[in-house]
Amino acid sequence: AVELEGFTVTKEMVSFKKEKKMKFEEKFLPSVIEPSFGMGRILYALLEHSFYVPEDNKEAVVMRFNANVAPVKCAVFNLQSNGDFLPVVRQVAASLTAAGLSNKTDTSGQSIGKRYARTDEVGTPYGVTVDFDTLKDNTVTLRERDSQSQLRVPIADIPPLVTGLVKGWETWAKASAKYPVVERA
């Protein structure tokens, strides 16, 4: 006999027997619930969906962010390290900032191709390049990251055009019909 909290349990009260039962279904209710939505998962999905390696250049990597969610909407470059380009680069950057577009200038002495690649890696969808023609006719080259095609656009049209492209009010195809396409060399 065993005494448990004021009760006595005898041998006759307890019995054990072995049985085999067939179970067709077993239900399990977890005791821990993990929420499936969080900022980390959303950012991971965005990054994984946006990353790609171009077929023509296996060493390059590109973040193909939608322009609406890209942290930097437009980059502004000078074609070469020419002192005459810098005021125009600052003017274009200031006009983009005034239009509410996040932008970054890159006036380093590296080749324009390397600077384009650097902005492609961080997901910047558009790039404006100030070159020698800019000093003559007040136009710049606007480059689109995904197609790498370029248009020749008046400086005054850059902020509204890039805003329209970012917001989805304008398409690259419509802009290509409106402005001259720059042919690749």
Side-chain angles (χ1 to χ4, degrees):
V2 176
E3 185 74 27
L4 293 173
E5 298 180 8
F7 296 98
T8 304
V9 179
T10 64
K11 250 190 235 199
E12 295 79 30
M13 299 171 118
V14 179
S15 67
F16 295 97
K17 65 180 180 177
K18 277 187 172 181
E19 286 185 356
K20 285 189 177 184
K21 286 187 175 181
M22 186 173 288
K23 285 188 172 182
F24 293 101
E25 179 180 357
E26 184 174 344
K27 292 184 180 182
F28 174 75
L29 182 63
S31 59
V32 176
I33 298 172
E34 179 185 352
S36 61
F37 284 102
M39 204 57 206
R41 288 177 190 237
I42 293 169
L43 284 174
Y44 177 77
L46 176 70
L47 291 172
E48 186 174 338
H49 179 72
S50 299
F51 178 84
Y52 83 101
V53 177
E55 291 293 323
D56 59 340
N57 186 358
K58 295 292 184 189
E59 292 182 18
V61 294
V62 177
M63 293 303 279
R64 195 184 293 179
F65 291 127
N66 180 300
N68 220 4
V69 297
V72 178
K73 311 298 185 206
C74 191
V76 185
F77 309 102
N78 54 337
L79 183 64
Q80 294 178 343
S81 296
N82 182 332
D84 295 337
F85 295 159
L86 294 178
V88 182
V89 168
R90 286 190 208 104
Q91 173 198 348
V92 171
S95 66
L96 290 167
T97 301
L101 295 166
S102 58
N103 63 85
K104 191 167 182 88
T105 59
D106 185 347
T107 56
S108 66
Q110 288 191 320
S111 73
I112 193 68
K114 286 184 180 179
R115 289 184 280 162
Y116 284 156
R118 204 166 37 223
T119 59
D120 290 349
E121 285 178 357
V122 296
T124 306
Y126 302 104
V128 174
T129 305
V130 175
D131 56 22
F132 293 104
D133 290 338
T134 305
L135 303 177
K136 295 180 207 165
D137 60 9
N138 241 12
T139 63
V140 291
T141 302
L142 178 64
R143 175 185 181 265
E144 195 238 358
R145 175 199 60 221
D146 297 337
S147 67
Q148 296 185 358
S149 62
Q150 300 178 359
L151 305 176
R152 197 76 197 166
V153 181
I155 292 174
D157 292 358
I158 288 292
L161 176 59
V162 175
T163 299
L165 291 166
V166 167
K167 302 282 185 185
W169 305 328
E170 184 76 63
T171 65
W172 191 256
K174 285 183 189 174
S176 298
K178 185 175 180 182
Y179 299 103
V181 175
V182 177
E183 298 299 326
R184 290 189 195 179

